[in-house]
Amino acid sequence: PVVRNAPPQLWFDGRFVDADAPCAPLTSHAMHYGSGVFEGIRAYATADGGSAVFRLPEHLARMRRGCELLGIAFDEARCTQATLAVLRRNDLRDAYIRPLAWCGAGSIGLDVAAVSQHLMVATFATAVHLAGAGVRLTTSPWRRNPATSLPPLKLCGAYVNSILAKHEARQRGFDEALFVDGQGRVVECTGANVFLVRDGAITAVEHADALPGITRDTVMALSGARARPVSLEELLDADEVFVCGTAAEVTAITELDGRVFGEGPVTRELAQSYRRVVRGQDPARAHWLTQV
Ligand code: PMP
């Protein structure tokens, strides 16, 4: 039985442990080298009193691709069961879900074949990524990891790139950083994909170095947006700019380096449609939900 107000637990290699319990050795390979793969997934309370995970198979398929690159065995069915089990265990209907597969202890060398492999799934009651009414964005002096060096998957070590950009943007008083490439093309934000609206037409920014976001795919399906490369100049010229991601959902950009964007009716409507879909209020999209 679920004990209310009990400390949250996480699923770790097949058992439940207190979320703040020390489990993994400090000599874990992933802690030193970032040799892990994670996902960011959400569950939403649905109108029928239940809860559903949004596009769980797609998230786990992306996680498997990262694991394959690192030689980490990944069992999607097991991770699905762990995800549902930990949500039930913590009695959470609205949750941010963080599965993590990583290289453990055994060797301090770089060869991952010499170390153990682990999987955990943690849940968080709230997801804070880009909270608030609007986001003030700035172009980052940092370049995004090029896909030819670090493929745009959720590899732990790759996120130092996002952390650097976020830190630098925050130091200059902005909420979030926008990566632009050496040719002036927009890539993405530190944890969200970028869209623009111009004369009513919705465009998804396309770039080889950007994470293929599941929210981006969702928004494209809901809006009929077309994907294509976009220059920073064109973004600054847009009527509306918004970003999207599992944590960010659909969030309006109110400012980009001093350029202020208007009211954003298209963004507002899309944010609403997205909210309906994830909460199970759009029967045509029910196939995207995994009931808890
Ligand atoms: N880009 C980056 C770098 C991210 O970390 C995320 C969050 N996973 C996204 C985009 C958005 O992806 P998704 O919609 O699948 O959450």
Side-chain angles (χ1 to χ4, degrees):
V2 173
V3 182
R4 286 188 194 273
N5 302 321
Q9 295 204 308
L10 54 77
W11 185 100
F12 172 45
D13 284 346
R15 32 193 190 99
F16 290 110
V17 293
D18 287 345
D20 57 1
C23 295
L26 297 178
T27 49
S28 294
H29 201 268
M31 184 161 176
H32 298 252
Y33 304 122
S35 48
V37 185
F38 70 96
E39 263 305 323
I41 312 172
R42 272 173 94 160
Y44 290 89
T46 47
D48 58 7
S51 171
V53 183
F54 189 62
R55 302 195 73 175
L56 179 59
E58 291 89 339
H59 281 283
L60 297 187
R62 185 169 66 190
M63 188 165 172
R64 180 179 40 73
R65 289 201 297 280
C67 285
E68 276 168 3
L69 284 180
L70 272 173
I72 299 176
F74 182 67
D75 183 338
E76 280 164 77
R78 183 171 187 245
C79 195
T80 300
Q81 288 316 309
T83 299
L84 299 177
V86 74
L87 284 169
R88 292 177 192 135
R89 179 84 170 190
N90 290 321
D91 200 18
L92 283 175
R93 293 175 66 212
D94 279 300
Y96 181 81
I97 305 157
R98 167 54 53 83
L100 171 67
W102 75 97
C103 293
S107 163
I108 204 65
L110 290 179
D111 184 2
V112 292
V115 301
S116 58
Q117 300 184 349
H118 306 278
L119 177 67
M120 73 106 198
V121 184
T123 54
F124 300 86
T126 49
V128 179
H129 179 68
L130 292 170
V135 169
R136 296 181 59 241
L137 190 61
T138 183
T139 53
S140 183
W142 295 104
R143 294 280 179 248
R144 189 76 180 129
N145 300 318
T148 47
S149 301
L150 265 174
L153 289 165
K154 296 186 82 74
L155 308 178
C156 294
Y159 275 75
V160 174
N161 183 223
S162 283
I163 291 165
L164 286 174
K166 185 87 177 180
H167 180 61
E168 195 280 333
R170 296 287 294 168
Q171 278 185 319
R172 286 192 289 112
F174 289 88
D175 301 314
E176 173 62 344
L178 176 73
F179 286 110
V180 176
D181 74 10
Q183 282 73 50
R185 283 182 310 241
V186 177
V187 185
E188 63 176 331
C189 288
T190 64
N193 294 113
V194 181
F195 282 72
L196 69 89
V197 183
R198 178 76 204 249
D199 298 328
I202 307 170
T203 302
V205 170
E206 186 171 88
H207 198 289
D209 302 340
L211 187 84
I214 290 158
T215 317
R216 176 182 184 272
D217 180 76
T218 303
V219 168
M220 286 180 69
L222 295 180
S223 67
R226 296 268 310 276
R228 60 175 172 80
V230 169
S231 68
L232 176 61
E233 208 170 49
E234 188 181 355
L235 197 70
L236 284 163
D237 224 29
D239 299 326
E240 299 176 34
V241 173
F242 65 88
V243 297
C244 70
T246 296
E249 300 181 313
V250 174
T251 300
I253 297 301
T254 50
E255 183 195 323
L256 170 55
D257 286 332
R259 154 78 159 102
V260 174
F261 294 99
E263 254 291 273
V266 177
T267 302
R268 201 164 46 232
E269 194 166 314
L270 263 173
Q272 243 163 43
S273 314
Y274 183 76
R275 228 171 284 129
R276 274 198 301 274
V277 169
V278 296
R279 297 198 175 281
Q281 291 159 359
D282 184 345
R285 312 290 178 176
H287 59 283
W288 278 337
L289 308 185
T290 300
Q291 301 300 324
V292 181

